[in-house]
PDB file of all heavy atoms in Angstrom:
ATOM      1  N   LEU X 108      88.248  95.028  69.828  1.00 93.00           N
ATOM      2  CA  LEU X 108      88.367  96.268  70.596  1.00 93.00           C
ATOM      3  C   LEU X 108      87.060  96.500  71.334  1.00 93.00           C
ATOM      4  O   LEU X 108      85.995  96.088  70.849  1.00 93.00           O
ATOM      5  CB  LEU X 108      88.618  97.451  69.653  1.00 93.00           C
ATOM      6  CG  LEU X 108      89.935  97.439  68.876  1.00 93.00           C
ATOM      7  CD1 LEU X 108      89.932  98.526  67.810  1.00 93.00           C
ATOM      8  CD2 LEU X 108      91.119  97.631  69.822  1.00 93.00           C
ATOM      9  N   VAL X 110      85.760  99.672  72.200  1.00 96.00           N
ATOM     10  CA  VAL X 110      85.137 100.706  71.367  1.00 96.00           C
ATOM     11  C   VAL X 110      85.772 100.604  69.984  1.00 96.00           C
ATOM     12  O   VAL X 110      86.996 100.566  69.859  1.00 96.00           O
ATOM     13  CB  VAL X 110      85.371 102.113  71.942  1.00 96.00           C
ATOM     14  CG1 VAL X 110      84.976 103.188  70.931  1.00 96.00           C
ATOM     15  CG2 VAL X 110      84.557 102.307  73.219  1.00 96.00           C
ATOM     16  N   GLU X 112      84.952 101.418  65.481  1.00 95.00           N
ATOM     17  CA  GLU X 112      84.108 102.194  64.574  1.00 95.00           C
ATOM     18  C   GLU X 112      83.649 101.333  63.415  1.00 95.00           C
ATOM     19  O   GLU X 112      84.410 100.531  62.880  1.00 95.00           O
ATOM     20  CB  GLU X 112      84.876 103.396  64.047  1.00 95.00           C
ATOM     21  CG  GLU X 112      85.002 104.467  65.100  1.00 95.00           C
ATOM     22  CD  GLU X 112      85.940 105.553  64.661  1.00 95.00           C
ATOM     23  OE1 GLU X 112      87.157 105.336  64.762  1.00 95.00           O
ATOM     24  OE2 GLU X 112      85.458 106.595  64.207  1.00 95.00           O
ATOM     25  N   LEU X 267      95.934 104.309  64.309  1.00 93.00           N
ATOM     26  CA  LEU X 267      95.042 104.699  65.407  1.00 93.00           C
ATOM     27  C   LEU X 267      95.697 104.508  66.766  1.00 93.00           C
ATOM     28  O   LEU X 267      95.464 105.266  67.692  1.00 93.00           O
ATOM     29  CB  LEU X 267      93.797 103.797  65.393  1.00 93.00           C
ATOM     30  CG  LEU X 267      92.651 104.209  64.512  1.00 93.00           C
ATOM     31  CD1 LEU X 267      91.507 103.249  64.716  1.00 93.00           C
ATOM     32  CD2 LEU X 267      92.221 105.638  64.817  1.00 93.00           C
ATOM     33  N   PHE X 268      96.494 103.475  66.887  1.00 95.00           N
ATOM     34  CA  PHE X 268      97.112 103.166  68.176  1.00 95.00           C
ATOM     35  C   PHE X 268      98.583 103.566  68.226  1.00 95.00           C
ATOM     36  O   PHE X 268      99.244 103.326  69.233  1.00 95.00           O
ATOM     37  CB  PHE X 268      96.965 101.671  68.497  1.00 95.00           C
ATOM     38  CG  PHE X 268      95.601 101.334  69.042  1.00 95.00           C
ATOM     39  CD1 PHE X 268      94.577 100.982  68.192  1.00 95.00           C
ATOM     40  CD2 PHE X 268      95.339 101.404  70.399  1.00 95.00           C
ATOM     41  CE1 PHE X 268      93.307 100.694  68.687  1.00 95.00           C
ATOM     42  CE2 PHE X 268      94.085 101.133  70.913  1.00 95.00           C
ATOM     43  CZ  PHE X 268      93.064 100.768  70.047  1.00 95.00           C
ATOM     44  N   TRP X 271      99.713 105.426  71.251  1.00 97.00           N
ATOM     45  CA  TRP X 271      99.587 104.587  72.459  1.00 97.00           C
ATOM     46  C   TRP X 271     100.778 103.647  72.563  1.00 97.00           C
ATOM     47  O   TRP X 271     101.393 103.535  73.622  1.00 97.00           O
ATOM     48  CB  TRP X 271      98.291 103.773  72.413  1.00 97.00           C
ATOM     49  CG  TRP X 271      97.072 104.607  72.594  1.00 97.00           C
ATOM     50  CD1 TRP X 271      96.388 105.285  71.617  1.00 97.00           C
ATOM     51  CD2 TRP X 271      96.408 104.908  73.822  1.00 97.00           C
ATOM     52  NE1 TRP X 271      95.334 105.964  72.170  1.00 97.00           N
ATOM     53  CE2 TRP X 271      95.321 105.746  73.521  1.00 97.00           C
ATOM     54  CE3 TRP X 271      96.623 104.531  75.149  1.00 97.00           C
ATOM     55  CZ2 TRP X 271      94.458 106.227  74.495  1.00 97.00           C
ATOM     56  CZ3 TRP X 271      95.759 104.997  76.125  1.00 97.00           C
ATOM     57  CH2 TRP X 271      94.688 105.846  75.805  1.00 97.00           C
ATOM     58  N   VAL X 289      95.324  97.343  78.297  1.00 96.00           N
ATOM     59  CA  VAL X 289      95.438  98.662  78.927  1.00 96.00           C
ATOM     60  C   VAL X 289      95.141  99.761  77.898  1.00 96.00           C
ATOM     61  O   VAL X 289      94.368 100.688  78.158  1.00 96.00           O
ATOM     62  CB  VAL X 289      96.842  98.835  79.555  1.00 96.00           C
ATOM     63  CG1 VAL X 289      97.147 100.288  79.857  1.00 96.00           C
ATOM     64  CG2 VAL X 289      96.948  97.992  80.828  1.00 96.00           C
ATOM     65  N   CYS X 290      95.730  99.639  76.709  1.00 97.00           N
ATOM     66  CA  CYS X 290      95.497 100.674  75.683  1.00 97.00           C
ATOM     67  C   CYS X 290      94.032 100.684  75.260  1.00 97.00           C
ATOM     68  O   CYS X 290      93.403 101.740  75.171  1.00 97.00           O
ATOM     69  CB  CYS X 290      96.389 100.436  74.463  1.00 97.00           C
ATOM     70  SG  CYS X 290      98.132 100.672  74.820  1.00 97.00           S
ATOM     71  N   ASP X 291      93.482  99.503  74.998  1.00 96.00           N
ATOM     72  CA  ASP X 291      92.072  99.441  74.569  1.00 96.00           C
ATOM     73  C   ASP X 291      91.151 100.018  75.629  1.00 96.00           C
ATOM     74  O   ASP X 291      90.283 100.846  75.333  1.00 96.00           O
ATOM     75  CB  ASP X 291      91.658  97.987  74.310  1.00 96.00           C
ATOM     76  CG  ASP X 291      90.154  97.855  74.155  1.00 96.00           C
ATOM     77  OD1 ASP X 291      89.671  98.040  73.021  1.00 96.00           O
ATOM     78  OD2 ASP X 291      89.442  97.619  75.162  1.00 96.00           O
ATOM     79  N   HIS X 292      91.320  99.586  76.880  1.00 96.00           N
ATOM     80  CA  HIS X 292      90.371 100.005  77.923  1.00 96.00           C
ATOM     81  C   HIS X 292      90.525 101.487  78.267  1.00 96.00           C
ATOM     82  O   HIS X 292      89.535 102.155  78.550  1.00 96.00           O
ATOM     83  CB  HIS X 292      90.573  99.173  79.192  1.00 96.00           C
ATOM     84  CG  HIS X 292      89.977  97.789  79.087  1.00 96.00           C
ATOM     85  ND1 HIS X 292      89.683  97.181  77.896  1.00 96.00           N
ATOM     86  CD2 HIS X 292      89.612  96.908  80.050  1.00 96.00           C
ATOM     87  CE1 HIS X 292      89.168  95.983  78.126  1.00 96.00           C
ATOM     88  NE2 HIS X 292      89.113  95.789  79.422  1.00 96.00           N
ATOM     89  N   LEU X 293      91.763 101.988  78.229  1.00 97.00           N
ATOM     90  CA  LEU X 293      91.923 103.420  78.529  1.00 97.00           C
ATOM     91  C   LEU X 293      91.336 104.263  77.404  1.00 97.00           C
ATOM     92  O   LEU X 293      90.633 105.243  77.638  1.00 97.00           O
ATOM     93  CB  LEU X 293      93.399 103.762  78.740  1.00 97.00           C
ATOM     94  CG  LEU X 293      93.943 103.405  80.120  1.00 97.00           C
ATOM     95  CD1 LEU X 293      95.441 103.658  80.190  1.00 97.00           C
ATOM     96  CD2 LEU X 293      93.233 104.233  81.209  1.00 97.00           C
ATOM     97  N   ARG X 294      91.634 103.849  76.183  1.00 97.00           N
ATOM     98  CA  ARG X 294      91.087 104.600  75.052  1.00 97.00           C
ATOM     99  C   ARG X 294      89.552 104.547  75.092  1.00 97.00           C
ATOM    100  O   ARG X 294      88.876 105.567  74.917  1.00 97.00           O
ATOM    101  CB  ARG X 294      91.622 103.982  73.756  1.00 97.00           C
ATOM    102  CG  ARG X 294      91.211 104.681  72.494  1.00 97.00           C
ATOM    103  CD  ARG X 294      92.000 104.087  71.333  1.00 97.00           C
ATOM    104  NE  ARG X 294      91.608 104.623  70.048  1.00 97.00           N
ATOM    105  CZ  ARG X 294      90.656 104.093  69.297  1.00 97.00           C
ATOM    106  NH1 ARG X 294      89.991 103.033  69.698  1.00 97.00           N
ATOM    107  NH2 ARG X 294      90.359 104.644  68.129  1.00 97.00           N
ATOM    108  N   SER X 295      88.997 103.369  75.372  1.00 97.00           N
ATOM    109  CA  SER X 295      87.531 103.238  75.448  1.00 97.00           C
ATOM    110  C   SER X 295      86.982 104.090  76.586  1.00 97.00           C
ATOM    111  O   SER X 295      85.934 104.733  76.441  1.00 97.00           O
ATOM    112  CB  SER X 295      87.133 101.775  75.676  1.00 97.00           C
ATOM    113  OG  SER X 295      87.621 100.977  74.630  1.00 97.00           O
ATOM    114  N   SER X 296      87.680 104.111  77.716  1.00 98.00           N
ATOM    115  CA  SER X 296      87.204 104.922  78.854  1.00 98.00           C
ATOM    116  C   SER X 296      87.157 106.401  78.473  1.00 98.00           C
ATOM    117  O   SER X 296      86.209 107.109  78.817  1.00 98.00           O
ATOM    118  CB  SER X 296      88.121 104.753  80.065  1.00 98.00           C
ATOM    119  OG  SER X 296      88.158 103.415  80.476  1.00 98.00           O
ATOM    120  N   VAL X 297      88.184 106.853  77.754  1.00 98.00           N
ATOM    121  CA  VAL X 297      88.205 108.262  77.335  1.00 98.00           C
ATOM    122  C   VAL X 297      86.968 108.567  76.481  1.00 98.00           C
ATOM    123  O   VAL X 297      86.264 109.563  76.693  1.00 98.00           O
ATOM    124  CB  VAL X 297      89.497 108.594  76.549  1.00 98.00           C
ATOM    125  CG1 VAL X 297      89.431 110.010  75.958  1.00 98.00           C
ATOM    126  CG2 VAL X 297      90.732 108.442  77.436  1.00 98.00           C
ATOM    127  N   VAL X 298      86.665 107.682  75.527  1.00 97.00           N
ATOM    128  CA  VAL X 298      85.526 107.932  74.632  1.00 97.00           C
ATOM    129  C   VAL X 298      84.219 107.909  75.416  1.00 97.00           C
ATOM    130  O   VAL X 298      83.331 108.742  75.199  1.00 97.00           O
ATOM    131  CB  VAL X 298      85.453 106.862  73.509  1.00 97.00           C
ATOM    132  CG1 VAL X 298      84.388 107.237  72.496  1.00 97.00           C
ATOM    133  CG2 VAL X 298      86.784 106.687  72.833  1.00 97.00           C
ATOM    134  N   THR X 346      92.741 110.766  71.299  1.00 96.00           N
ATOM    135  CA  THR X 346      91.474 110.019  71.260  1.00 96.00           C
ATOM    136  C   THR X 346      90.295 110.979  71.092  1.00 96.00           C
ATOM    137  O   THR X 346      89.408 110.753  70.259  1.00 96.00           O
ATOM    138  CB  THR X 346      91.319 109.189  72.559  1.00 96.00           C
ATOM    139  OG1 THR X 346      92.499 108.401  72.710  1.00 96.00           O
ATOM    140  CG2 THR X 346      90.108 108.294  72.509  1.00 96.00           C
ATOM    141  N   HIS X 349      90.248 112.221  67.545  1.00 93.00           N
ATOM    142  CA  HIS X 349      89.803 111.236  66.569  1.00 93.00           C
ATOM    143  C   HIS X 349      88.285 111.089  66.588  1.00 93.00           C
ATOM    144  O   HIS X 349      87.644 111.008  65.549  1.00 93.00           O
ATOM    145  CB  HIS X 349      90.462 109.873  66.816  1.00 93.00           C
ATOM    146  CG  HIS X 349      89.947 108.826  65.893  1.00 93.00           C
ATOM    147  ND1 HIS X 349      90.333 108.754  64.565  1.00 93.00           N
ATOM    148  CD2 HIS X 349      89.022 107.857  66.063  1.00 93.00           C
ATOM    149  CE1 HIS X 349      89.685 107.770  63.980  1.00 93.00           C
ATOM    150  NE2 HIS X 349      88.880 107.210  64.864  1.00 93.00           N
ATOM    151  N   PHE X 350      87.712 111.076  67.795  1.00 93.00           N
ATOM    152  CA  PHE X 350      86.254 110.885  67.895  1.00 93.00           C
ATOM    153  C   PHE X 350      85.501 112.217  67.875  1.00 93.00           C
ATOM    154  O   PHE X 350      84.315 112.258  68.127  1.00 93.00           O
ATOM    155  CB  PHE X 350      85.916 110.078  69.159  1.00 93.00           C
ATOM    156  CG  PHE X 350      86.299 108.629  69.036  1.00 93.00           C
ATOM    157  CD1 PHE X 350      87.494 108.160  69.558  1.00 93.00           C
ATOM    158  CD2 PHE X 350      85.481 107.740  68.353  1.00 93.00           C
ATOM    159  CE1 PHE X 350      87.855 106.825  69.420  1.00 93.00           C
ATOM    160  CE2 PHE X 350      85.839 106.407  68.216  1.00 93.00           C
ATOM    161  CZ  PHE X 350      87.031 105.950  68.747  1.00 93.00           C
TER     162      PHE X 350
END
Side-chain angles (χ1 to χ4, degrees):
L108 295 170
V110 168
E112 285 171 281
L267 274 184
F268 280 90
W271 289 86
V289 164
C290 293
D291 168 86
H292 283 20
L293 280 175
R294 183 171 176 270
S295 301
S296 300
V297 173
V298 187
T346 307
H349 176 76
F350 288 97

